[in-house]
């Protein structure tokens, strides 16, 4: 029974971290986190650093929104985290993301 419980616990953690990492692709969510001072919490910033393991091939293959990996990378810098408090910066990030997806859609295939 212990093995099954550990498996369930690990699976729940994997799914929760997968969902959270993918949410980082959303500039509105990043702005919310910044506005509510999550990025000012050293423990939260360390957690973002810990989540870098999602960049490894054995984990990133589960991502539906791979753009979240770039956001996770950018969130390692204090200046990016701080800038996300500003609405205009959030809008810039959103527009750049939109243009990337639009251009990518035109060139792939």
């Amino acid at each position: 029974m212990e093995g099954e419980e550990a498996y369930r616990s690990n699976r729940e953690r994997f799914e929760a971290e997968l969902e959270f990492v993918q949410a980082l692709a959303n500039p509105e969510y990043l702005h919310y986190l910044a506005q509510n001072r999550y990025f000012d919490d050293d423990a939260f910033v360390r957690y973002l650093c810990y989540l870098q393991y999602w960049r490894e091939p054995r984990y990133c293959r589960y991502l539906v929104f791979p753009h979240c990996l770039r956001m996770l990378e950018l969130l390692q810098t204090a200046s990016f985290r701080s800038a996300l408090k500003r609405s205009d910066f959030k809008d810039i990030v959103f527009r750049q993301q939109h243009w990337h997806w639009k251009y990518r859609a035109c060139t792939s295939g």
Side-chain angles (χ1 to χ4, degrees):
M1 191 61 88
E2 270 184 41
E4 186 177 317
E5 192 173 309
Y7 172 79
R8 194 172 320 122
S9 176
N10 286 337
R11 182 181 172 107
E12 288 174 8
R13 180 178 175 174
F14 175 85
E15 290 173 355
E17 289 179 356
L18 172 62
E19 184 175 343
F20 177 72
V21 166
Q22 292 193 107
L24 298 178
N26 182 341
E28 287 287 343
Y29 182 58
L30 296 177
H31 180 65
Y32 168 84
L33 293 174
Q35 286 288 303
N36 288 282
R37 303 180 58 93
Y38 282 86
F39 298 142
D40 296 338
D41 180 353
D42 290 338
F44 190 79
V45 172
R46 285 192 303 274
Y47 180 64
L48 293 173
C49 186
Y50 155 77
L51 291 173
Q52 290 285 358
Y53 76 86
W54 282 97
R55 302 180 74 77
E56 297 175 20
R58 67 183 175 154
Y59 294 105
C60 71
R61 67 189 177 122
Y62 295 101
L63 298 172
V64 176
F65 305 108
H67 197 247
C68 65
L69 294 177
R70 177 63 177 145
M71 295 300 191
L72 185 58
E73 180 184 346
L74 290 169
L75 286 168
Q76 302 307 308
T77 62
S79 59
F80 184 75
R81 293 190 306 267
S82 179
L84 283 167
K85 292 177 182 176
R86 300 186 351 243
S87 270
D88 64 319
F89 186 76
K90 179 244 329 172
D91 293 340
I92 290 168
V93 171
F94 176 77
R95 281 194 304 272
Q96 288 178 341
Q97 185 180 56
H98 172 78
W99 283 106
H100 173 77
W101 286 338
K102 185 176 180 177
Y103 174 74
R104 188 99 167 112
C106 294
T107 60
S108 62

